[in-house]
């Protein structure tokens, strides 16, 4: 049985990495992530953690260190936010293309310009097409638990995973977190076995230049070329669901906390109105739902925990009785709408479901979103007010 | 003692048949670099001519483990390899990053400077063909003044960046410059670097026939002429002590140096350099050479004085 400590989100992330016996940490400071590498540096220097900590000069190098370390066979971890994640962009593609099970903790923050240090999800949503898995956490316990599960999943299917949580809202907010016993984590998470071992006697050339067509290898077998490898990455993500659920099931058996779902639902048994969102905003939405229920609205929250791979089937099931879906996005795909909204609509379309979908863009750059905003916005959407060709920007003076 | 040709290991780590251009200065240099490094080496190589030499999946022409890496990342990639080997308790590998001048002087300098500041335990080898030759002869900050490239069609107006001085400013334990035209000197420098711990930096001048515009048969001749005109100066800085080596040391002793015009006229890339710029280049070379010789004599004199005092 673990012990309960009061931790902020960054400490929860660092504790998760320590419990996973991460062997190489490389990180560069950026608000609101800095407390994660600071905490890990302290663990390493005080001997609480056996790891190589590389104090790199940039996020681009941070992820590169993780890529090479992971290739050689070490469990690697990094953390960043906002412009730091954008600076990693090239290497995010590389890590996924090289099929390396790196875990990255992301304290979500809005991107400059204009500068903000505060929270939204534009950073990670902008990286959704890099081939990484993405989970979004509602609270600090989920951050710690997700990092442990992330290694388990990533190392089974050889796909890196980003554990995202709202900057400041979670990274700087302290709450009780149960810290598992090291022995339990060891039981849950076996040591990392690299899929391309490097040793001196059998030299290999990892990730060389690729041709457009398949080529015969030394044994005369045709090997898929660039596009073939990319197809395999797509298949790995498409088929990841079972691995993720198994990891969650065993996590539940060992630690007793339940993540056996891709979406988090609140009062969704008989709901006609669904507030759909991600991350810590789901907790605010739950409070809004309580108020809406008191006013006689059959409302519920459906929050995406997993964003890549996108859990279309589970989302459809969660929305099959909804007449109105009100999507609150802390990101925007400029020229269209919030990314969660677009993807939800695509999932609904594929399932022949046609609820009324309203999209609100909320909370960009740390703009406060309170329960009253969510309640009022939902009521207006359901009543057919606020009709708009595009998404509605909540709380911005026009 | 300097290695002679009969003492070179017979083991070849580059197989016959690479994808490098005919008469490639890099291929010649790399063959000897790998002989000096030996089997227990992990290489990391960014986008460059060397990626092409290493070959296309699933075949490779090089018999050493290599992790290909993105253009800007050679030294960071090496840092990750070093860290992982340490974490895994594997202590018998030499980690070596090999990048071109574009990947070193330009896009890779940030990661390289950071790794050197951390004194990461690896060898960084930059092969300098004085431009982005893999992408079709664009200018880099290693391109000499007066050279034509496809992005300096009226020739480059700036002198090449002094990468060796930049690396020296980091205070790393070993820095050397070498040339593909003097493979034994190069071999000895890599061998020596292998015995030193911390960040070691070796700059290798590699003539590039298609990029510089000279007949492939002249690769060694041109490499030697680069030394004779002091366009490339062979030297070492070991624990802060500077000394000229090989042909460059002989030149300092004999005070003989050929005019740079001899070097320029052999190459198509300098076809459009005018007399005024040749003079400017010569002046720049002379000043740099004088500084090198003075530093060499200072250190050599110092070393002799300290020996006399023993």
């Amino acid at each position: 049985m673990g012990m309960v400590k009061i931790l902020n989100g960054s400490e929860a992330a660092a504790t998760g990495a320590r419990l996973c016996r991460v062997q190489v940490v490389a990180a560069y400071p950026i608000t609101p992530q800095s407390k994660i590498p600071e905490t890990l540096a302290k663990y390493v220097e005080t001997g609480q953690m056996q790891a190589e900590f590389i104090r790199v000069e940039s996020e681009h190098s941070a992820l590169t260190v993780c890529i090479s370390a992971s290739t050689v066979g070490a469990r690697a971890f990094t953390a960043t936010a906002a412009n730091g994640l954008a600076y990693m962009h090239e290497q995010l593609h590389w890590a996924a293309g090289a099929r390396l099970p790196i875990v990255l903790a992301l304290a979500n923050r809005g991107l400059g310009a204009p500068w903000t240090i505060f929270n939204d999800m534009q950073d990670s949503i902008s990286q959704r097409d890099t081939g990484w898995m993405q989970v979004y956490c509602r609270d600090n316990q989920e951050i710690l638990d997700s990092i442990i599960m992330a290694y388990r999943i990533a190392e089974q299917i050889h796909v890196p995973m980003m554990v995202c949580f709202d900057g400041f809202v979670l990274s700087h907010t302290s709450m009780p977190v149960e810290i598992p016993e090291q022995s339990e984590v060891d039981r849950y998470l076996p040591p990392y076995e690299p899929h391309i071992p490097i040793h001196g006697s059998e030299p290999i050339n990892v990730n060389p230049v690729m041709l457009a067509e398949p080529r015969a290898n030394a044994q005369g077998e045709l090997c898929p070329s660039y596009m073939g490898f990319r197809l395999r990455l797509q298949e790995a993500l498409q088929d990841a669901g079972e691995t993720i659920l198994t990891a969650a099931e065993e996590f539940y058996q060992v630690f007793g906390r339940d993540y056996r779902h891709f979406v988090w639902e609140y009062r969704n048994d008989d709901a006609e109105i669904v507030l759909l969102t991600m991350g810590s905003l789901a907790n605010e939405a739950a409070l809004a739902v309580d108020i809406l229920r008191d006013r006689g609205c059959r409302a519920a929250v459906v929050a995406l925990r997993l964003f890549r791979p996108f859990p279309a089937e589970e989302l459809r099931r969660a929305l099959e009785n909804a007449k109105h879906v009100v999507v609150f996005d802390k990101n925007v795909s400029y020229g269209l709408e919030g990314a969660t909204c677009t993807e939800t609509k695509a999932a609904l379309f594929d399932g022949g479901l046609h609820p009324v979908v309203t999209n609100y863009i909320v909370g960009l750059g740390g703009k406060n979103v309170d329960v009253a905003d969510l309640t009022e916005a939902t009521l207006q959407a359901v009543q057919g007010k606020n009709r708009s060709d595009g998404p509605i920007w909540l709380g911005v003076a026009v | 003692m300097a290695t002679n040709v009969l003492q070179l290991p017979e083991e070849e780590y580059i197989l016959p048949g690479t994808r490098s251009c005919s008469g490639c200065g890099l291929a010649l240099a790399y063959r000897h670099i790998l002989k000096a490094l030996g089997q227990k080496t992990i290489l990391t190589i960014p986008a460059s001519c060397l990626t092409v030499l290493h070959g296309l999946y699933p075949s490779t022409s090089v018999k050493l483990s290599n992790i290909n890496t993105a253009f800007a990342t050679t030294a960071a990639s090496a840092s990750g390899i070093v860290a992982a080997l340490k974490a895994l308790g594997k202590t018998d590998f030499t980690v070596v990053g090999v990048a071109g001048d574009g990947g070193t002087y330009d896009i890779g300098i940030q990661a390289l400077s950071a790794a050197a500041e951390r004194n990461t335990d690896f060898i960084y080898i930059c092969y300098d063909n004085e431009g982005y030759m893999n992408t079709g002869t664009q200018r880099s900050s290693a391109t000499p003044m007066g050279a034509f490239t496809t992005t300096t069609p009226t020739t480059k107006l700036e002198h090449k960046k002094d990468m060796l001085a930049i690396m020296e400013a980091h205070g790393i334990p070993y820095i050397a410059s070498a040339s593909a035209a003097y493979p034994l000197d190069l071999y000895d420098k890599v061998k020596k670097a292998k015995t030193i711990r911390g960040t070691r930096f070796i700059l290798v001048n590699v003539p590039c026939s298609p990029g510089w515009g000279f007949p492939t048969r002249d690769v060694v001749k041109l490499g030697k002429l680069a030394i004779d005109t002091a366009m490339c100066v062979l030297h070492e800085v070991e624990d802060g002590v500077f000394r000229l080596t090989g042909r460059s040391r002989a030149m300092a002793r004999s005070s003989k140096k050929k005019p740079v015009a001899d070097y320029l006229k052999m190459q198509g890339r300098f076809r459009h350099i005018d007399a005024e710029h040749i003079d400017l280049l010569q002046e720049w070379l002379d000043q740099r050479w004088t500084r090198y010789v003075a530093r060499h004599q200072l250190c050599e004199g110092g070393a002799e004085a300290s020996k006399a005092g023993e």
Side-chain angles (χ1 to χ4, degrees):
Chain A
M1 194 53 202
M3 62 157 83
V4 175
K5 278 194 174 180
I6 307 296
L7 298 182
N8 62 40
S10 299
E11 291 164 338
T15 305
R18 172 172 61 77
L19 287 167
C20 290
R21 296 190 186 278
V22 161
Q23 292 162 299
V24 173
V25 180
Y28 187 76
I30 181 170
T31 303
Q33 153 271 23
S34 306
K35 188 77 182 169
I36 303 172
E38 283 170 13
T39 307
L40 288 168
K42 192 179 73 186
Y43 286 153
V44 171
E45 296 209 350
T46 56
Q48 295 175 70
M49 188 174 168
Q50 299 297 315
E52 294 298 310
F53 191 115
I54 312 296
R55 291 142 181 96
V56 285
E57 83 294 350
S58 76
E59 289 89 350
H60 195 271
S61 286
L63 189 49
T64 303
V65 166
C66 291
I67 286 167
S68 289
S70 184
T71 307
V72 174
R75 185 171 284 158
F77 177 82
T78 187
T80 190
N83 293 62
L85 186 68
Y87 198 27
M88 283 181 181
H89 177 74
E90 179 192 23
Q91 297 304 78
L92 290 171
H93 278 286
W94 196 289
R99 304 295 298 271
L100 297 167
I102 298 160
V103 173
L104 184 157
L106 185 77
N108 281 111
R109 163 183 157 180
L111 284 148
W115 281 116
T116 179
I117 57 165
F118 296 111
N119 164 247
D120 65 42
M121 295 178 181
Q122 195 69 35
D123 51 0
S124 51
I125 293 295
S126 300
Q127 306 302 336
R128 76 181 170 175
D129 301 331
T130 53
W132 284 58
M133 294 183 281
Q134 290 191 356
V135 289
Y136 288 80
C137 304
R138 268 188 313 120
D139 57 36
N140 295 355
Q141 183 73 58
E142 194 166 342
I143 296 170
L144 188 152
D145 293 345
S146 294
I147 285 176
I148 297 170
M149 281 185 283
Y151 277 108
R152 170 77 184 251
I153 298 158
E155 289 174 8
Q156 268 183 279
I157 64 171
H158 306 294
V159 177
M161 190 179 248
M162 217 175 272
V163 176
C164 308
F165 53 93
D166 291 307
F168 288 106
V169 181
L170 294 180
S171 67
H172 285 59
T173 302
S174 296
M175 56 184 86
V177 175
E178 189 180 314
I179 302 168
E181 292 286 348
Q182 182 68 60
S183 58
E184 288 179 329
V185 178
D186 290 345
R187 194 146 50 90
Y188 178 76
L189 183 68
Y192 168 43
E193 297 272 354
H195 61 300
I196 343 171
I198 289 181
H199 40 75
S201 52
E202 288 171 44
I204 53 163
N205 188 13
V206 187
N207 294 310
V209 179
M210 300 289 291
L211 283 174
E213 296 300 325
R215 270 169 65 88
N217 67 12
Q219 285 74 44
E221 298 156 354
L222 279 182
C223 294
S225 192
Y226 184 84
M227 196 164 165
F229 278 104
R230 289 287 155 176
L231 171 62
R232 286 186 183 175
L233 178 60
Q234 162 72 355
E235 286 170 347
L237 275 126
Q238 277 181 329
D239 300 341
E242 200 179 316
T243 307
I244 296 170
L245 288 179
T246 306
E249 176 63 40
E250 288 178 28
F251 191 91
Y252 178 69
Q253 301 298 332
V254 177
F255 304 101
R257 285 184 292 280
D258 190 357
Y259 300 100
R260 296 172 295 176
H261 44 71
F262 301 134
V263 297
W264 178 76
E265 296 173 70
Y266 180 72
R267 300 184 82 167
N268 193 27
D269 295 332
D270 60 344
E272 295 181 331
I273 304 158
V274 170
L275 286 70
L276 192 142
T277 189
M278 292 200 294
S280 64
L281 199 55
N283 294 340
E284 305 293 317
L287 297 173
V289 160
D290 288 343
I291 292 167
L292 289 165
R293 287 268 174 181
D294 288 346
R295 294 193 196 169
C297 297
R298 280 151 65 182
V301 181
V302 172
L304 287 159
R305 172 172 152 68
L306 188 66
F307 186 68
R308 276 293 179 278
F310 194 75
E313 198 179 319
E314 191 167 336
L315 187 61
R316 275 198 292 275
R317 189 197 49 69
L319 298 178
E320 65 189 353
N321 298 317
K323 291 190 169 64
H324 289 90
V325 178
V326 187
V327 185
F328 294 95
D329 264 307
K330 270 196 202 172
N331 71 84
V332 58
S333 177
Y334 296 101
L336 186 57
E337 61 191 0
T340 319
C341 183
T342 305
E343 307 214 355
T344 300
K345 282 184 191 169
L348 292 169
F349 182 91
D350 286 350
L353 299 172
H354 300 285
V356 177
V357 178
T358 308
N359 186 202
Y360 286 103
I361 306 297
V362 301
L364 298 189
K367 170 86 180 166
N368 189 43
V369 189
D370 61 29
V371 177
D373 293 334
L374 297 172
T375 313
E376 189 55 33
T378 303
L379 285 172
Q380 291 201 0
V382 173
Q383 288 160 11
K385 298 172 186 170
N386 261 353
R387 287 267 181 236
S388 162
D389 286 338
I392 303 150
W393 290 56
L394 199 65
V396 184
V398 181
Chain B
M1 272 301 282
T3 304
N4 71 45
V5 72
L6 296 173
Q7 293 166 325
L8 274 181
E10 285 185 23
E11 177 81 35
E12 296 290 349
Y13 295 99
I14 305 181
L15 298 165
T18 75
R19 284 183 170 262
S20 57
C21 306
S22 59
C24 175
L26 168 61
L28 176 61
Y30 199 50
R31 179 173 168 230
H32 294 89
I33 290 168
L34 298 189
K35 277 176 182 284
L37 290 171
Q39 190 71 49
K40 280 281 191 175
T41 300
I42 299 181
L43 301 157
T44 186
I45 290 167
S48 63
C49 294
L50 195 49
T51 330
V52 177
L53 185 149
H54 266 255
L56 295 154
Y57 181 86
S59 48
T60 178
S61 59
V62 178
K63 289 199 292 178
L64 291 176
S65 286
N66 166 42
I67 298 173
N68 281 86
T69 191
F71 206 4
T73 68
T74 313
S77 174
S79 301
I81 297 167
V82 169
L85 290 172
K86 200 170 171 199
L88 298 170
K90 295 182 179 177
T91 54
D92 52 348
F93 283 99
T94 306
V95 178
V96 186
V98 191
D101 49 286
T104 303
Y105 287 61
D106 295 343
I107 196 170
I109 194 171
Q110 175 178 306
L112 171 58
S113 174
E117 186 269 334
R118 294 189 302 265
N119 201 21
T120 304
D121 188 17
F122 81 120
I123 303 174
Y124 190 105
I125 298 173
C126 169
Y127 62 92
D128 182 9
N129 54 24
E130 303 190 324
Y132 292 88
M133 300 317 185
N134 187 36
T135 44
T137 324
Q138 295 84 19
R139 72 91 89 177
S140 79
S141 56
T143 305
M145 191 256 268
F148 164 90
T149 70
T150 54
T151 49
T152 53
T154 55
T155 78
K156 190 180 179 233
L157 300 176
E158 308 83 18
H159 288 297
K160 73 184 286 172
K161 190 189 276 184
D162 192 346
M163 194 66 207
L164 287 155
I166 292 169
M167 291 314 293
E168 201 181 335
H170 288 78
I172 54 174
Y174 185 73
I175 294 161
S177 80
S179 164
Y182 290 98
L184 294 174
D185 177 74
L186 169 62
Y187 174 86
D188 282 339
K189 283 170 176 164
V190 177
K191 280 292 262 193
K192 183 189 275 187
K194 215 183 138 180
T195 66
I196 297 167
R197 297 275 75 84
T199 303
R200 294 140 279 167
F201 180 83
I202 301 175
L203 183 66
V204 189
N205 182 265
V206 294
C208 168
S209 165
W212 297 7
F214 63 85
T216 54
R217 65 173 179 274
D218 288 343
V219 62
V220 172
K221 193 171 166 185
L222 199 67
K224 288 186 170 178
L225 203 48
I227 310 290
D228 288 348
T229 55
M231 282 293 282
C232 170
V233 178
L234 301 174
H235 72 276
E236 281 180 324
V237 185
E238 203 176 343
D239 291 328
V241 177
F242 178 101
R243 74 181 147 254
L244 296 170
T245 63
R247 175 74 188 153
S248 295
R249 187 174 54 197
M251 283 164 58
R253 283 178 177 162
S254 65
S255 301
K256 278 185 188 158
K257 184 161 71 68
K258 289 184 178 166
V260 74
D262 291 3
Y263 174 75
L264 304 180
K265 72 184 177 198
M266 280 184 68
Q267 303 171 61
R269 63 174 171 160
F270 291 111
R271 193 174 298 141
H272 297 292
I273 189 169
D274 54 31
E276 185 193 349
H277 282 90
I278 294 175
D279 289 346
L280 285 171
L281 191 57
Q282 186 65 61
E283 194 182 326
W284 178 80
L285 277 173
D286 290 346
Q287 285 175 3
R288 192 179 69 166
W289 176 246
T290 305
R291 284 199 304 274
Y292 276 141
V293 173
R295 279 192 76 186
H296 172 70
Q297 284 166 348
L298 196 66
C299 288
E300 202 171 47
E304 278 163 16
S306 96
K307 265 182 203 161
E310 277 173 8

